[in-house]
Every structure is written in C-alpha cells, then in structure tokens.
C-alpha cells in the first residue's frame, strides 16, 4: 500500500462537522453578548445626555420645570455635534431632557418625543 500525504474525505467532513457544531453553539452566545452590550451602551448614553442637561441648567440658571433639547446641548458645547445614534435601536436621538422638581430635588429624564412633560 502506498502512504497518502493528504486527508481523507471522512476526516475533512469530521472537521467541518465539528466547526459547524461550534458555530451553532457560539452564535446565540455571541448575539446575546452583543444585545446586552447595546442595551448597556444605550442606557449609558442616555445617562450622559441627562448629565449634560444637569450641567447645562447649573451653568445657565435654575428652572423649576423645563426642557433642554439635544440640539441645545450640542450648540452649547455640552454634547458633541453631529448625529447621536441609539445603539440599541439604530435610531437617531432627537429628544430632550425634562427637568422637574421631585421631593425637593431636581429630576432629569430623557424623553424621546417633543413634548416637554412638565404638566
């Protein structure tokens, strides 16, 4: 018998089957990690916008109730200019931060709509 220097078809198919099994197991895990990261990044981005609004109102005078839009925060230099995208949804964030007094403390809440929410 002559010795072969290559792989047999059965060996190649076994390797492909093992790689496919690894891919089938890894895909849901990787996509879950990505989704979790996107949610965390989205929450952190909203927190950063709310913090920018807090700084904006401290420097520009107190308000009992009001709103600060992302455009105002960008034009005043509290946020970077350009589109701010929500990593979780892929949509552009164009909302505003509503400022209200709640239990003797100002509360800053990002809202996606255009209504101020002071009512």
């Amino acid at each position: 018998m002559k010795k072969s220097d290559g792989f047999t078809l059965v060996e190649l198919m076994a390797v492909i089957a093992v790689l496919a099994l690894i891919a089938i197991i890894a895909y849901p895990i990787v996509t879950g990690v990505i989704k979790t990261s996107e949610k965390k990044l989205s929450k952190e981005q909203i927190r950063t916008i709310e913090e920018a609004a807090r700084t904006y109102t401290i420097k520009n005078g107190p308000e009992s109730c009001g709103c600060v839009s992302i455009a105002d925060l960008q034009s005043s230099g509290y946020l970077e200019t350009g589109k701010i995208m929500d990593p979780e949804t892929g949509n552009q964030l164009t909302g505003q931060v509503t400022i209200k007094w709640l239990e003797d403390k100002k509360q800053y809440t990002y809202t996606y709509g255009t209504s101020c929410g002071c009512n």
Side-chain angles (χ1 to χ4, degrees):
M1 290 198 66
K2 186 177 173 185
K3 184 178 177 185
S4 173
D5 290 337
F7 295 104
T8 66
L9 181 60
V10 173
E11 291 171 329
L12 289 175
M13 290 186 67
V15 169
I16 290 172
V18 169
L19 290 175
L21 183 63
I22 290 171
I24 288 170
I25 293 170
Y27 180 77
I29 295 170
V30 170
T31 55
V33 168
I34 290 171
K35 291 288 183 192
T36 302
S37 297
E38 287 172 344
K39 286 180 182 179
K40 286 180 181 179
L41 181 58
S42 182
K43 287 179 183 178
E44 186 62 28
Q45 195 168 33
I46 297 299
R47 192 191 68 71
T48 301
I49 291 169
E50 291 170 351
E51 190 62 36
R54 180 176 287 115
T55 305
Y56 176 88
T57 56
I58 288 171
K59 301 224 177 189
N60 293 306
E63 294 184 29
S64 60
C65 182
C67 294
V68 180
S69 69
I70 287 180
D72 290 340
L73 294 171
Q74 288 176 325
S75 65
S76 300
Y78 293 97
L79 291 175
E80 291 183 16
T81 57
K83 291 182 179 180
I84 299 176
M85 304 302 284
D86 185 346
E88 189 174 6
T89 64
N91 297 330
Q92 181 179 355
L93 295 176
T94 58
Q96 61 206 5
V97 176
T98 303
I99 302 129
K100 291 184 187 178
W101 280 96
L102 185 64
E103 299 175 8
D104 298 329
K105 185 171 130 180
K106 279 188 182 176
Q107 180 182 22
Y108 299 82
T109 308
Y110 177 78
T111 54
Y112 288 90
T114 56
S115 129
C116 193
C118 286
N119 302 329

